[in-house]
C-alpha cells in the first residue's frame, strides 16, 4: 500500500474559513509522561491523550520492556509494575526520536539501558551527546557495541550537579526523571523551561518525587520513592497545534476559534500575531482570530521557551509569505529545519535561504497547487497551509508523518471549511 496523502483544494485567496477547531493533548507532554511511568511500580493513568501515531509507537516500546499499556478513548493506562527488560526494541526506538526519553527512566529503574541511536524527524542532526554526559556525570558507564549503546549503573545513579551545555527539552526531562531514583541530591542547571518539562515534573511529583524548580533554569531532585499516583494525570493542551491553527485562522479565517488551549503557553505566538496585524481575542481557553486585510512583515527567531517555538516556525513562515513586504525567519535550534522551504519556492513563494539558519521572505505571493512529500510533521503542516490558501489542487504525501503529531487533522480542518480529503 502506498503511504496516505492529503488532497487539498485551494481557497485561491478567499478568506472564508469559519468555526471552531479543538486542540488536543500535547504530543510532547504525553511522550515524556509515558516514559516517566516506567519509574513507577504500579498503575498510572493519563487523560486527554491525543490519538496520534507516536503514542502506539511509545506504547509498543513500553510493552517491550514488560509494561502493560491499555487505552480507552482519551485515557491511557500504564501498569509498569512488571518492567523486566532494559533493552529498547531497535526498530521502534529508531522510528521515534522521543524513545530517547526512555533512556533515563529505564536506566534508573533497571540499572542499565541498551538502545540504538534514536531516529524520528528529518530536522538536521540530532545528537544525544548531552544525555550521555549527564548520565556519566551521575555515575553511569557508557559503552557501544555494533549499533547499540549501553548505559549502566548497577548500583544506582549517584547524586551530583550537571550543567546542560545546550538547552535540551527531552534531555532535561530524561535526566530529571532518572534523578528521582538517584542515591543523593541531583542539581540540574541550564534546564529547558518548556511547559512540558513542568508537566512531566507534576506527574512525577504526584507519584511521590521530590522535584523543585521545574520551569526554571535550575531543577533540584531529592531521593524519592515513587508509587502509583492516586490521581489521573491530565495531559496539557498542545501549544504547537494551537499555534498551527491560529496561523490558519490568520491566513484564511473569516473567524476561527481555537478551543481547549492554554493561552499562557502561547505568549510568543500571540505577540507575533498581534504584531503582524491579526485581530486576536482570548477568552478563557479559547482564542479567536481572523485574517486581517493586510498582514505586516516581521522577523521571527526561534528560541527555547518562552521564546518563539521552533515547532511553530513552519506554519508561521507561511504567514510571512502572505505579509506585505520583506520578512525574516531565523531558525536557531535545528540545522536542517529550513530545507522544506525549497518546496515552497516551487509552489511560488519568494524565499531566499541565506544560511542554514536564515531565510528571507518577500511577500505576498500566491501558492500554486502541486504534489509535495513532507519530510516531517511540522513542515507537513506548513505545506497544508500553503495548499489551503493557494490555487488549484495539492497533494501532500507522507501524511503518516503528519499523523504523528496531529490527530485526524483532516476532520478538524474540514469542519471549518477546508476542502481536504485523505487519499
Ligand atoms: N542537542 C544536542 N545534544 C543532545 C541533545 C540536544 O546538541 O544531546 C541539541 C539539538 O541538536 C538541538 C538542541 O539541542 O540543536 C535542542 O534540541 P532539544 O534536545 O531541545 O530537542 P528535543 O528534546 O529532541 C523536543 C521536541 C521537539 C522540539 C524540540 C525543541 C519532544 C518529544 N520533542 O525535541 O519536537 O522541536 O524539543 O523545542 O519533546 C516536534 O514536535 O515536531 C518536535 C520535533
Amino acid at each position: 500500500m502506498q503511504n496516505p496523502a492529503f488532497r487539498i483544494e485551494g481557497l485561491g485567496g478567499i478568506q472564508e474559513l469559519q468555526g471552531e477547531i479543538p486542540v488536543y493533548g500535547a504530543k510532547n507532554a504525553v511522550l515524556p509522561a509515558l516514559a516517566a511511568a516506567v519509574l513507577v511500580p504500579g498503575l498510572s493513568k493519563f487523560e486527554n491523550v491525543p490519538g496520534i501515531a507516536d503514542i502506539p509507537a511509545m506504547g509498543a516500546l513500553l510493552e517491550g520492556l514488560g509494561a502493560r499499556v491499555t487505552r480507552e478513548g482519551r485515557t491511557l493506562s500504564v501498569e509498569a509494575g512488571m518492567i523486566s527488560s532494559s533493552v529498547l526494541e531497535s526498530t521502534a526506538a529508531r522510528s521515534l526520536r522521543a524513545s530517547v526519553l526512555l533512556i533515563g527512566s529505564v536506566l534508573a529503574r533497571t540499572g542499565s539501558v541498551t538502545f540504538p541511536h534514536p531516529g524520528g524527524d528529518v530536522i538536521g542532526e540530532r545528537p544525544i551527546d548531552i544525555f550521555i554526559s549527564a548520565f556519566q556525570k551521575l555515575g553511569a558507564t557508557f559503552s557501544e557495541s555494533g549499533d547499540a549503546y549501553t548505559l549502566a549503573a548497577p548500583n544506582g545513579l549517584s547524586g551530583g550537579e550537571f550543567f546542560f551545555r545546550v538547552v535540551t527539552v527531552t534531555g532535561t526531562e530524561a535526566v530529571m526523571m532518572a534523578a528521582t531514583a538517584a542515591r543523593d541530591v541531583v542539581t540540574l542547571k541550564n534546564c529547558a523551561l518548556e511547559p512540558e518539562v513542568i508537566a512531566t515534573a507534576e506527574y512525577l511529583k504526584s507519584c511521590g518525587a521530590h522535584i523543585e524548580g521545574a520551569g526554571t533554569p535550575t531543577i533540584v531532585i531529592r531521593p524519592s520513592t515513587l508509587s502509583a499516583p492516586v490521581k489521573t494525570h491530565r495531559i496539557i493542551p498542545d501549544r504547537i497545534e494551537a499555534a498551527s491553527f491560529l496561523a490558519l485562522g490568520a491566513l484564511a479565517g473569516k473567524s476561527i476559534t481555537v478551543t481547549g488551549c492554554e493561552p499562557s503557553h502561547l505568549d510568543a505566538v500571540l505577540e507575533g500575531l498581534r504584531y503582524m496585524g491579526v485581530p486576536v481575542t482570548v477568552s478563557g481557553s479559547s482564542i479567536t482570530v481572523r485574517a486581517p486585510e493586510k498582514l505586516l512583515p516581521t522577523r521571527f527567531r526561534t528560541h527555547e521557551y518562552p521564546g518563539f517555538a521552533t515547532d511553530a516556525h513552519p506554519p508561521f513562515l507561511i504567514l510571512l509569505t502572505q505579509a506585505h513586504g520583506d520578512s525574516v525567519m531565523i531558525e536557531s535550534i535545528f540545522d536542517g529545519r529550513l530545507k522544506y522551504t525549497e518546496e515552497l519556492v516551487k509552489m511560488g513563494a519568494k524565499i531566499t535561504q541565506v544560511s542554514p539558519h536564515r531565510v528571507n521572505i518577500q511577500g505576498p505571493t500566491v501558492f500554486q497547487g502541486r504534489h509535495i512529500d513532507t519530510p516531517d510533521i511540522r513542515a507537513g503542516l506548513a505545506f497544508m497551509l500553503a495548499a489551503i490558501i493557494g490555487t488549484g489542487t495539492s497533494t501532500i504525501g507522507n501524511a503518516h508523518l503528519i499523523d504523528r503529531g496531529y490527530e485526524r487533522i483532516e476532520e478538524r480542518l474540514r469542519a471549518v471549511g477546508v476542502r481536504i480529503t485523505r487519499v
Side-chain angles (χ1 to χ4, degrees):
M1 196 184 79
Q2 268 193 317
N3 279 332
F6 291 120
R7 178 184 291 133
I8 295 171
E9 305 294 335
L11 295 170
I14 303 167
Q15 287 147 355
E16 62 179 21
L17 302 183
Q18 201 164 9
E20 292 190 353
I21 310 190
V23 165
Y24 298 145
K27 168 175 89 66
N28 291 347
V30 70
L31 292 170
L34 294 181
V38 165
L39 284 160
V40 181
L43 178 69
S44 298
K45 282 189 166 191
F46 303 96
E47 62 187 11
N48 198 31
V49 174
I52 52 172
D54 272 9
I55 306 298
M58 188 59 137
L61 281 164
L62 293 181
E63 284 177 338
L65 296 167
R68 214 177 57 218
V69 182
T70 48
R71 182 168 189 140
E72 254 188 83
R74 294 193 179 276
T75 301
L76 195 91
S77 305
V78 179
E79 168 54 76
M82 315 75 84
I83 294 278
S84 50
S85 168
S86 56
V87 181
L88 300 189
E89 198 280 309
S90 178
T91 313
R94 276 182 212 282
S95 72
L96 183 68
R97 163 76 192 181
S99 63
V100 75
L101 284 161
L102 285 163
I103 297 176
S105 51
V106 175
L107 172 64
R109 177 79 192 267
T110 69
S112 78
V113 60
T114 299
F115 58 100
H117 192 96
D121 275 341
V122 189
I123 48 176
E125 211 186 314
R126 295 179 78 178
I128 54 166
D129 54 327
I130 295 169
F131 289 72
I132 308 298
S133 329
F135 293 120
Q136 285 175 322
K137 189 80 193 284
L138 298 179
T141 57
F142 176 68
S143 56
E144 255 183 278
S145 166
D147 288 346
Y149 305 135
T150 298
L151 281 163
N155 301 318
L157 294 167
S158 59
E161 192 174 297
F162 183 75
F163 182 91
F164 288 96
R165 186 168 54 71
V166 178
V167 176
T168 154
V169 180
T170 50
T172 301
E173 291 162 344
V175 182
M176 174 179 75
M177 56 181 94
T180 60
R183 293 192 303 270
D184 212 337
V185 180
V186 175
T187 303
L188 303 178
K189 292 187 169 171
N190 201 26
C191 295
L193 311 181
E194 269 68 359
E196 293 77 14
V197 174
I198 302 177
T200 308
E202 289 305 319
Y203 160 64
L204 286 165
K205 280 158 72 174
S206 76
C207 304
H210 303 297
I211 301 175
E212 280 162 41
T216 75
T218 303
I219 304 181
V220 178
I221 305 109
R222 290 175 208 287
S224 320
T225 303
L226 303 191
S227 57
V230 178
K231 273 180 38 194
T232 299
H233 176 75
R234 188 167 178 81
I235 301 301
I236 58 171
D238 196 312
R239 59 198 167 90
I240 307 303
E241 271 205 352
S244 309
F245 299 148
L246 290 168
L248 173 67
L251 285 163
K254 207 170 179 180
S255 173
I256 291 282
T257 300
V258 182
T259 63
C261 44
E262 178 47 70
S264 69
H265 295 168
L266 289 162
D267 286 342
V269 161
L270 298 180
E271 180 57 26
L273 287 171
R274 290 190 179 112
Y275 186 87
M276 292 185 76
V278 178
V280 177
T281 312
V282 179
S283 170
S285 61
S286 296
I287 306 174
T288 301
V289 288
R290 65 178 164 78
E293 263 168 38
K294 194 172 165 183
L295 279 165
L296 304 175
T298 186
R299 174 191 179 102
F300 283 101
R301 179 175 181 276
T302 66
H303 198 277
E304 292 87 8
Y305 190 83
F308 187 81
T310 171
D311 293 338
H313 127 205
F316 270 67
L317 188 134
I318 303 299
L319 213 51
L320 296 181
T321 66
Q322 303 309 302
H324 290 247
D326 295 338
S327 294
V328 175
M329 178 62 79
I330 299 173
E331 168 53 53
S332 68
I333 312 284
F334 292 116
D335 284 343
R337 195 158 221 176
L338 285 163
K339 193 156 172 40
Y340 74 98
T341 59
E342 292 165 14
E343 298 297 327
L344 294 174
V345 171
K346 292 182 197 157
M347 288 179 84
K350 291 198 193 101
I351 300 173
T352 316
Q353 184 154 354
V354 282
S355 87
H357 288 280
R358 176 182 167 143
V359 285
N360 294 343
I361 303 135
Q362 245 184 310
T365 46
V366 177
F367 287 108
Q368 316 289 339
R370 58 181 281 131
H371 175 83
I372 307 171
D373 284 322
T374 184
D376 76 76
I377 310 175
R378 311 298 174 191
L381 204 284
F383 294 148
M384 291 174 87
L385 295 183
I388 292 168
I389 60 171
T391 59
T393 304
S394 296
T395 46
I396 315 295
N398 289 343
H400 65 291
L401 292 181
I402 298 171
D403 293 338
R404 286 189 42 209
Y406 297 87
E407 172 184 337
R408 289 177 292 135
I409 180 90
E410 71 277 27
E411 290 177 23
R412 286 185 282 170
L413 294 179
R414 229 173 3 241
V416 296
V418 175
R419 283 169 286 175
I420 177 170
T421 46
R422 186 183 285 260
V423 290

mmCIF file of all heavy atoms in Angstrom, residues 323-360:
data_model
loop_
_atom_site.group_PDB
_atom_site.id
_atom_site.type_symbol
_atom_site.label_atom_id
_atom_site.label_comp_id
_atom_site.label_asym_id
_atom_site.label_seq_id
_atom_site.Cartn_x
_atom_site.Cartn_y
_atom_site.Cartn_z
ATOM 1 N N ALA A 323 2.651 38.244 4.080
ATOM 2 C CA ALA A 323 2.797 39.608 4.608
ATOM 3 C C ALA A 323 3.231 40.537 3.473
ATOM 4 O O ALA A 323 3.904 40.111 2.537
ATOM 5 C CB ALA A 323 3.818 39.610 5.730
ATOM 6 N N HIS A 324 2.847 41.783 3.559
ATOM 7 C CA HIS A 324 3.183 42.764 2.510
ATOM 8 C C HIS A 324 4.552 43.369 2.794
ATOM 9 O O HIS A 324 4.660 44.323 3.564
ATOM 10 C CB HIS A 324 2.106 43.850 2.454
ATOM 11 C CG HIS A 324 0.816 43.340 1.907
ATOM 12 N ND1 HIS A 324 0.290 43.757 0.696
ATOM 13 C CD2 HIS A 324 -0.052 42.412 2.390
ATOM 14 C CE1 HIS A 324 -0.838 43.115 0.469
ATOM 15 N NE2 HIS A 324 -1.075 42.296 1.474
ATOM 16 N N GLY A 325 5.599 42.778 2.199
ATOM 17 C CA GLY A 325 6.947 43.306 2.398
ATOM 18 C C GLY A 325 7.939 42.197 2.720
ATOM 19 O O GLY A 325 7.665 41.018 2.495
ATOM 20 N N ASP A 326 9.096 42.597 3.243
ATOM 21 C CA ASP A 326 10.199 41.657 3.476
ATOM 22 C C ASP A 326 10.201 41.162 4.922
ATOM 23 O O ASP A 326 10.208 41.968 5.854
ATOM 24 C CB ASP A 326 11.534 42.345 3.188
ATOM 25 C CG ASP A 326 11.641 42.714 1.711
ATOM 26 O OD1 ASP A 326 10.925 42.087 0.895
ATOM 27 O OD2 ASP A 326 12.397 43.653 1.389
ATOM 28 N N SER A 327 10.233 39.841 5.079
ATOM 29 C CA SER A 327 10.272 39.240 6.411
ATOM 30 C C SER A 327 11.484 38.327 6.529
ATOM 31 O O SER A 327 12.117 37.981 5.523
ATOM 32 C CB SER A 327 9.014 38.403 6.664
ATOM 33 O OG SER A 327 7.862 39.209 6.706
ATOM 34 N N VAL A 328 11.759 37.923 7.758
ATOM 35 C CA VAL A 328 12.909 37.040 8.025
ATOM 36 C C VAL A 328 12.468 35.946 9.000
ATOM 37 O O VAL A 328 11.740 36.218 9.944
ATOM 38 C CB VAL A 328 14.073 37.845 8.664
ATOM 39 C CG1 VAL A 328 15.224 36.913 9.057
ATOM 40 C CG2 VAL A 328 14.564 38.940 7.735
ATOM 41 N N MET A 329 12.909 34.714 8.743
ATOM 42 C CA MET A 329 12.727 33.638 9.727
ATOM 43 C C MET A 329 14.117 33.120 10.080
ATOM 44 O O MET A 329 14.853 32.657 9.206
ATOM 45 C CB MET A 329 11.869 32.505 9.149
ATOM 46 C CG MET A 329 11.660 31.325 10.087
ATOM 47 S SD MET A 329 10.793 31.701 11.632
ATOM 48 C CE MET A 329 9.079 31.765 11.107
ATOM 49 N N ILE A 330 14.463 33.234 11.347
ATOM 50 C CA ILE A 330 15.746 32.681 11.817
ATOM 51 C C ILE A 330 15.432 31.445 12.655
ATOM 52 O O ILE A 330 14.715 31.529 13.658
ATOM 53 C CB ILE A 330 16.535 33.717 12.641
ATOM 54 C CG1 ILE A 330 16.843 34.933 11.747
ATOM 55 C CG2 ILE A 330 17.831 33.115 13.189
ATOM 56 C CD1 ILE A 330 17.471 36.095 12.465
ATOM 57 N N GLU A 331 15.941 30.306 12.192
ATOM 58 C CA GLU A 331 15.734 29.050 12.915
ATOM 59 C C GLU A 331 16.996 28.770 13.714
ATOM 60 O O GLU A 331 18.016 28.366 13.153
ATOM 61 C CB GLU A 331 15.436 27.915 11.912
ATOM 62 C CG GLU A 331 15.487 26.515 12.491
ATOM 63 C CD GLU A 331 14.637 26.315 13.727
ATOM 64 O OE1 GLU A 331 13.437 26.626 13.678
ATOM 65 O OE2 GLU A 331 15.188 25.855 14.750
ATOM 66 N N SER A 332 16.926 29.007 15.021
ATOM 67 C CA SER A 332 18.169 28.928 15.798
ATOM 68 C C SER A 332 18.385 27.565 16.445
ATOM 69 O O SER A 332 19.460 27.310 16.969
ATOM 70 C CB SER A 332 18.175 30.025 16.859
ATOM 71 O OG SER A 332 17.183 29.745 17.805
ATOM 72 N N ILE A 333 17.377 26.684 16.409
ATOM 73 C CA ILE A 333 17.528 25.426 17.165
ATOM 74 C C ILE A 333 18.070 24.283 16.293
ATOM 75 O O ILE A 333 18.988 23.580 16.688
ATOM 76 C CB ILE A 333 16.179 24.988 17.800
ATOM 77 C CG1 ILE A 333 15.513 26.155 18.534
ATOM 78 C CG2 ILE A 333 16.358 23.767 18.709
ATOM 79 C CD1 ILE A 333 16.081 26.532 19.868
ATOM 80 N N PHE A 334 17.451 24.069 15.104
ATOM 81 C CA PHE A 334 17.817 22.913 14.282
ATOM 82 C C PHE A 334 18.438 23.333 12.952
ATOM 83 O O PHE A 334 17.868 24.159 12.234
ATOM 84 C CB PHE A 334 16.588 22.031 14.015
ATOM 85 C CG PHE A 334 16.071 21.347 15.248
ATOM 86 C CD1 PHE A 334 14.812 21.638 15.746
ATOM 87 C CD2 PHE A 334 16.852 20.412 15.917
ATOM 88 C CE1 PHE A 334 14.335 21.015 16.891
ATOM 89 C CE2 PHE A 334 16.378 19.782 17.062
ATOM 90 C CZ PHE A 334 15.128 20.085 17.548
ATOM 91 N N ASP A 335 19.554 22.684 12.594
ATOM 92 C CA ASP A 335 20.289 22.993 11.354
ATOM 93 C C ASP A 335 19.494 22.748 10.082
ATOM 94 O O ASP A 335 19.551 23.523 9.155
ATOM 95 C CB ASP A 335 21.539 22.105 11.261
ATOM 96 C CG ASP A 335 22.623 22.583 12.186
ATOM 97 O OD1 ASP A 335 22.531 23.738 12.629
ATOM 98 O OD2 ASP A 335 23.542 21.781 12.471
ATOM 99 N N GLY A 336 18.779 21.596 10.015
ATOM 100 C CA GLY A 336 18.186 21.210 8.731
ATOM 101 C C GLY A 336 16.733 21.619 8.581
ATOM 102 O O GLY A 336 16.077 21.225 7.625
ATOM 103 N N ARG A 337 16.243 22.413 9.502
ATOM 104 C CA ARG A 337 14.796 22.610 9.536
ATOM 105 C C ARG A 337 14.273 23.511 8.423
ATOM 106 O O ARG A 337 13.070 23.502 8.146
ATOM 107 C CB ARG A 337 14.362 23.142 10.890
ATOM 108 C CG ARG A 337 12.873 23.015 11.059
ATOM 109 C CD ARG A 337 12.400 23.024 12.494
ATOM 110 N NE ARG A 337 11.358 22.023 12.649
ATOM 111 C CZ ARG A 337 10.782 21.707 13.781
ATOM 112 N NH1 ARG A 337 11.146 22.279 14.897
ATOM 113 N NH2 ARG A 337 9.847 20.782 13.821
ATOM 114 N N LEU A 338 15.133 24.291 7.785
ATOM 115 C CA LEU A 338 14.636 25.213 6.743
ATOM 116 C C LEU A 338 14.594 24.583 5.362
ATOM 117 O O LEU A 338 14.123 25.207 4.413
ATOM 118 C CB LEU A 338 15.502 26.477 6.719
ATOM 119 C CG LEU A 338 15.245 27.443 7.867
ATOM 120 C CD1 LEU A 338 16.396 28.431 7.995
ATOM 121 C CD2 LEU A 338 13.927 28.186 7.673
ATOM 122 N N LYS A 339 15.038 23.348 5.245
ATOM 123 C CA LYS A 339 15.153 22.721 3.934
ATOM 124 C C LYS A 339 13.809 22.640 3.200
ATOM 125 O O LYS A 339 13.736 22.779 1.982
ATOM 126 C CB LYS A 339 15.773 21.324 4.095
ATOM 127 C CG LYS A 339 16.225 20.734 2.798
ATOM 128 C CD LYS A 339 17.302 19.706 2.931
ATOM 129 C CE LYS A 339 17.577 19.015 1.607
ATOM 130 N NZ LYS A 339 17.554 19.869 0.446
ATOM 131 N N TYR A 340 12.736 22.466 3.968
ATOM 132 C CA TYR A 340 11.407 22.333 3.342
ATOM 133 C C TYR A 340 11.010 23.581 2.567
ATOM 134 O O TYR A 340 10.118 23.524 1.721
ATOM 135 C CB TYR A 340 10.344 22.024 4.415
ATOM 136 C CG TYR A 340 9.991 23.219 5.262
ATOM 137 C CD1 TYR A 340 8.861 23.988 4.978
ATOM 138 C CD2 TYR A 340 10.810 23.629 6.302
ATOM 139 C CE1 TYR A 340 8.559 25.123 5.725
ATOM 140 C CE2 TYR A 340 10.514 24.750 7.047
ATOM 141 C CZ TYR A 340 9.397 25.488 6.762
ATOM 142 O OH TYR A 340 9.106 26.617 7.493
ATOM 143 N N THR A 341 11.657 24.717 2.839
ATOM 144 C CA THR A 341 11.254 25.960 2.164
ATOM 145 C C THR A 341 11.530 25.885 0.658
ATOM 146 O O THR A 341 10.921 26.613 -0.116
ATOM 147 C CB THR A 341 11.954 27.200 2.772
ATOM 148 O OG1 THR A 341 13.369 27.034 2.648
ATOM 149 C CG2 THR A 341 11.600 27.384 4.238
ATOM 150 N N GLU A 342 12.447 24.954 0.265
ATOM 151 C CA GLU A 342 12.720 24.789 -1.181
ATOM 152 C C GLU A 342 11.451 24.368 -1.911
ATOM 153 O O GLU A 342 11.212 24.757 -3.060
ATOM 154 C CB GLU A 342 13.806 23.719 -1.390
ATOM 155 C CG GLU A 342 15.170 24.168 -0.887
ATOM 156 C CD GLU A 342 16.159 23.014 -0.756
ATOM 157 O OE1 GLU A 342 15.901 21.913 -1.282
ATOM 158 O OE2 GLU A 342 17.212 23.236 -0.105
ATOM 159 N N GLU A 343 10.634 23.549 -1.252
ATOM 160 C CA GLU A 343 9.371 23.102 -1.861
ATOM 161 C C GLU A 343 8.370 24.254 -1.952
ATOM 162 O O GLU A 343 7.580 24.337 -2.886
ATOM 163 C CB GLU A 343 8.766 21.946 -1.046
ATOM 164 C CG GLU A 343 9.622 20.704 -0.991
ATOM 165 C CD GLU A 343 9.844 20.079 -2.365
ATOM 166 O OE1 GLU A 343 8.933 20.157 -3.214
ATOM 167 O OE2 GLU A 343 10.942 19.523 -2.575
ATOM 168 N N LEU A 344 8.428 25.131 -0.959
ATOM 169 C CA LEU A 344 7.506 26.286 -1.003
ATOM 170 C C LEU A 344 7.862 27.196 -2.171
ATOM 171 O O LEU A 344 6.988 27.812 -2.789
ATOM 172 C CB LEU A 344 7.567 27.061 0.319
ATOM 173 C CG LEU A 344 7.052 26.311 1.556
ATOM 174 C CD1 LEU A 344 7.303 27.129 2.815
ATOM 175 C CD2 LEU A 344 5.555 25.995 1.422
ATOM 176 N N VAL A 345 9.163 27.273 -2.474
ATOM 177 C CA VAL A 345 9.605 28.088 -3.617
ATOM 178 C C VAL A 345 9.012 27.510 -4.906
ATOM 179 O O VAL A 345 8.518 28.243 -5.773
ATOM 180 C CB VAL A 345 11.150 28.155 -3.681
ATOM 181 C CG1 VAL A 345 11.630 28.805 -4.968
ATOM 182 C CG2 VAL A 345 11.686 28.908 -2.460
ATOM 183 N N LYS A 346 9.006 26.163 -4.992
ATOM 184 C CA LYS A 346 8.426 25.526 -6.190
ATOM 185 C C LYS A 346 6.930 25.822 -6.287
ATOM 186 O O LYS A 346 6.349 25.774 -7.355
ATOM 187 C CB LYS A 346 8.650 24.007 -6.151
ATOM 188 C CG LYS A 346 10.102 23.616 -6.311
ATOM 189 C CD LYS A 346 10.237 22.103 -6.319
ATOM 190 C CE LYS A 346 11.676 21.694 -6.063
ATOM 191 N NZ LYS A 346 11.780 20.336 -5.548
ATOM 192 N N MET A 347 6.304 26.110 -5.140
ATOM 193 C CA MET A 347 4.869 26.457 -5.161
ATOM 194 C C MET A 347 4.661 27.943 -5.456
ATOM 195 O O MET A 347 3.511 28.397 -5.513
ATOM 196 C CB MET A 347 4.220 26.123 -3.812
ATOM 197 C CG MET A 347 4.053 24.639 -3.542
ATOM 198 S SD MET A 347 3.314 24.343 -1.898
ATOM 199 C CE MET A 347 1.556 24.527 -2.233
ATOM 200 N N GLY A 348 5.750 28.706 -5.543
ATOM 201 C CA GLY A 348 5.594 30.119 -5.903
ATOM 202 C C GLY A 348 6.069 31.113 -4.859
ATOM 203 O O GLY A 348 6.042 32.323 -5.102
ATOM 204 N N ALA A 349 6.537 30.615 -3.705
ATOM 205 C CA ALA A 349 6.972 31.558 -2.664
ATOM 206 C C ALA A 349 8.303 32.204 -3.057
ATOM 207 O O ALA A 349 9.108 31.600 -3.764
ATOM 208 C CB ALA A 349 7.127 30.825 -1.336
ATOM 209 N N LYS A 350 8.509 33.437 -2.595
ATOM 210 C CA LYS A 350 9.806 34.102 -2.835
ATOM 211 C C LYS A 350 10.602 34.026 -1.530
ATOM 212 O O LYS A 350 10.490 34.895 -0.655
ATOM 213 C CB LYS A 350 9.568 35.558 -3.243
ATOM 214 C CG LYS A 350 8.925 35.684 -4.613
ATOM 215 C CD LYS A 350 9.104 37.092 -5.160
ATOM 216 C CE LYS A 350 8.201 37.307 -6.346
ATOM 217 N NZ LYS A 350 6.976 38.073 -6.024
ATOM 218 N N ILE A 351 11.357 32.936 -1.435
ATOM 219 C CA ILE A 351 12.130 32.678 -0.209
ATOM 220 C C ILE A 351 13.588 32.474 -0.604
ATOM 221 O O ILE A 351 13.885 31.675 -1.495
ATOM 222 C CB ILE A 351 11.622 31.404 0.510
ATOM 223 C CG1 ILE A 351 10.147 31.561 0.898
ATOM 224 C CG2 ILE A 351 12.459 31.096 1.743
ATOM 225 C CD1 ILE A 351 9.508 30.306 1.468
ATOM 226 N N THR A 352 14.488 33.190 0.044
ATOM 227 C CA THR A 352 15.913 33.012 -0.221
ATOM 228 C C THR A 352 16.577 32.509 1.049
ATOM 229 O O THR A 352 16.476 33.155 2.108
ATOM 230 C CB THR A 352 16.574 34.365 -0.599
ATOM 231 O OG1 THR A 352 15.705 35.030 -1.511
ATOM 232 C CG2 THR A 352 17.935 34.175 -1.219
ATOM 233 N N GLN A 353 17.249 31.359 0.909
ATOM 234 C CA GLN A 353 17.947 30.833 2.082
ATOM 235 C C GLN A 353 19.331 31.460 2.127
ATOM 236 O O GLN A 353 20.151 31.237 1.240
ATOM 237 C CB GLN A 353 18.032 29.308 2.008
ATOM 238 C CG GLN A 353 18.666 28.744 3.246
ATOM 239 C CD GLN A 353 18.252 27.310 3.564
ATOM 240 O OE1 GLN A 353 17.388 26.732 2.923
ATOM 241 N NE2 GLN A 353 18.892 26.744 4.573
ATOM 242 N N VAL A 354 19.592 32.261 3.148
ATOM 243 C CA VAL A 354 20.890 32.923 3.232
ATOM 244 C C VAL A 354 21.883 32.169 4.114
ATOM 245 O O VAL A 354 23.079 32.427 4.042
ATOM 246 C CB VAL A 354 20.765 34.399 3.685
ATOM 247 C CG1 VAL A 354 20.308 35.280 2.559
ATOM 248 C CG2 VAL A 354 19.838 34.572 4.861
ATOM 249 N N SER A 355 21.386 31.245 4.907
ATOM 250 C CA SER A 355 22.272 30.380 5.697
ATOM 251 C C SER A 355 21.411 29.203 6.157
ATOM 252 O O SER A 355 20.189 29.248 6.026
ATOM 253 C CB SER A 355 22.839 31.129 6.909
ATOM 254 O OG SER A 355 21.950 31.039 7.995
ATOM 255 N N PRO A 356 22.036 28.130 6.706
ATOM 256 C CA PRO A 356 21.208 27.021 7.181
ATOM 257 C C PRO A 356 20.211 27.468 8.255
ATOM 258 O O PRO A 356 19.268 26.765 8.580
ATOM 259 C CB PRO A 356 22.225 26.039 7.774
ATOM 260 C CG PRO A 356 23.522 26.397 7.165
ATOM 261 C CD PRO A 356 23.480 27.874 6.874
ATOM 262 N N HIS A 357 20.438 28.662 8.791
ATOM 263 C CA HIS A 357 19.583 29.120 9.888
ATOM 264 C C HIS A 357 18.706 30.318 9.541
ATOM 265 O O HIS A 357 17.982 30.825 10.396
ATOM 266 C CB HIS A 357 20.450 29.467 11.104
ATOM 267 C CG HIS A 357 21.017 28.246 11.754
ATOM 268 N ND1 HIS A 357 20.294 27.463 12.619
ATOM 269 C CD2 HIS A 357 22.223 27.647 11.631
ATOM 270 C CE1 HIS A 357 21.025 26.439 13.015
ATOM 271 N NE2 HIS A 357 22.207 26.525 12.410
ATOM 272 N N ARG A 358 18.810 30.807 8.276
ATOM 273 C CA ARG A 358 18.038 32.027 7.994
ATOM 274 C C ARG A 358 17.482 32.032 6.584
ATOM 275 O O ARG A 358 18.197 31.729 5.625
ATOM 276 C CB ARG A 358 18.952 33.247 8.175
ATOM 277 C CG ARG A 358 18.256 34.551 7.811
ATOM 278 C CD ARG A 358 19.189 35.731 7.954
ATOM 279 N NE ARG A 358 18.564 36.870 7.304
ATOM 280 C CZ ARG A 358 18.623 38.109 7.744
ATOM 281 N NH1 ARG A 358 19.306 38.394 8.816
ATOM 282 N NH2 ARG A 358 18.017 39.073 7.077
ATOM 283 N N VAL A 359 16.209 32.398 6.478
ATOM 284 C CA VAL A 359 15.630 32.668 5.156
ATOM 285 C C VAL A 359 15.037 34.075 5.146
ATOM 286 O O VAL A 359 14.528 34.557 6.167
ATOM 287 C CB VAL A 359 14.520 31.659 4.753
ATOM 288 C CG1 VAL A 359 15.085 30.309 4.356
ATOM 289 C CG2 VAL A 359 13.460 31.505 5.822
ATOM 290 N N ASN A 360 15.126 34.704 3.967
ATOM 291 C CA ASN A 360 14.438 35.983 3.754
ATOM 292 C C ASN A 360 13.203 35.689 2.914
ATOM 293 O O ASN A 360 13.247 34.869 1.995
ATOM 294 C CB ASN A 360 15.342 36.961 2.994
ATOM 295 C CG ASN A 360 16.558 37.348 3.817
ATOM 296 O OD1 ASN A 360 16.570 37.148 5.032
ATOM 297 N ND2 ASN A 360 17.571 37.893 3.160
#
